[in-house]
Amino acid sequence: VGNANDCIFTDNKAEYGAGMHTGIATNCTFTNNAAENIGGAALKITANDCIFINNSAKNNGGAIYESDAINCNFTGNTAGANGGAIVGSDTNCAFNNNSAYRGGAMVNGTATSCNFIGNKAVLLGGAMVNGTATDSNFTGNNATSSGGAIYYDFAIGTLIDNCYFENNQALVNGGAFAWVYSNGNISHIRFKRNIAGENGGAIYINISNTTAMVNEQMLSNCYFIENHAKNGGAIYNNDSYRFYAEPLYFMNNSAEEN
């Protein structure tokens, strides 16, 4: 417990927060730390200008858990359950090649001005599960099931604004992202060359008559370019209701069947 400045944390092991527990870390490097439970490198910290490499947690938060990150780099971190890099929020951060069962890079947080490249989920959300993304880029992320970059489930009031999705892939639904039992607003987005093995090359939507949704789903000022899927090259809407779109632009998207 406390603050750390210009420190190096390497090969530490603990059940929770192997490198650091509670405090502020500034200009620190966390490498190869491992937690038996949550927070491979750290737990409940604010990280400023830090680097997290190859940290791991058997459950959640491969690098940090219940934490905030500003101007940090996360590379090659892994979580056995959720959030390969972080369970928390981040600003001006880079996430490269992190992995988890759900949310290859992060879950349940806010991403502002971040880059997500090459992150992977064993199941859902190659880069992210739930949360908010603004002014961020998602490139080359992958999910074995759905939501190549982002997966939303039972999320109320979601927001994605001014983001770029390119070359993300899901083997099942939503090459860029999947919106399941959720609502919110998606605006000023460019979707390019995302791929889904089944439905929704860029976006997959399914709220399937659920009564949990209070507000509508809204897409506005989005561009869909060269996305591909078996069904719905750009968007696949699976019997959803309260779905509004204005305006949208479609160029050279393709579908194998519908």
Side-chain angles (χ1 to χ4, degrees), residues 215-236:
N215 300 311
E216 71 275 5
Q217 296 166 312
M218 171 66 80
L219 295 174
S220 62
N221 294 295
C222 296
Y223 289 79
F224 298 83
I225 305 166
E226 298 177 4
N227 302 284
H228 179 79
K230 184 176 181 180
N231 299 292
I235 301 173
Y236 186 90

Side-chain angles (χ1 to χ4, degrees), residues 35 37 66 88 104-105 145 170 185 189 220 222 227 250:
N37 199 326
E66 289 187 355
S145 180
N185 292 281
I189 309 297
S220 62
C222 296
N227 302 284
F250 300 88

Side-chain angles (χ1 to χ4, degrees), residues 10-77:
T10 303
D11 296 324
N12 299 288
K13 298 182 185 300
E15 185 172 2
Y16 304 95
M20 184 175 176
H21 191 314
T22 309
I24 300 173
T26 303
N27 198 32
C28 295
T29 300
F30 298 80
T31 306
N32 295 327
N33 302 286
E36 287 293 315
N37 199 326
I38 58 178
L43 176 67
K44 295 183 179 179
I45 70 166
T46 296
N48 300 299
D49 301 298
C50 293
I51 297 172
F52 298 86
I53 301 173
N54 295 337
N55 302 284
S56 63
K58 287 190 176 179
N59 286 321
N60 304 322
I64 56 178
Y65 183 83
E66 289 187 355
S67 301
D68 296 321
I70 302 168
N71 300 324
C72 294
N73 291 312
F74 297 83
T75 302
N77 302 285

Side-chain angles (χ1 to χ4, degrees), residues 54 91 133 136 154 170-171 192 200 234 239 247:
N54 295 337
T91 302
S136 296
F154 295 97
L171 295 187
K192 187 175 182 180
D239 298 324

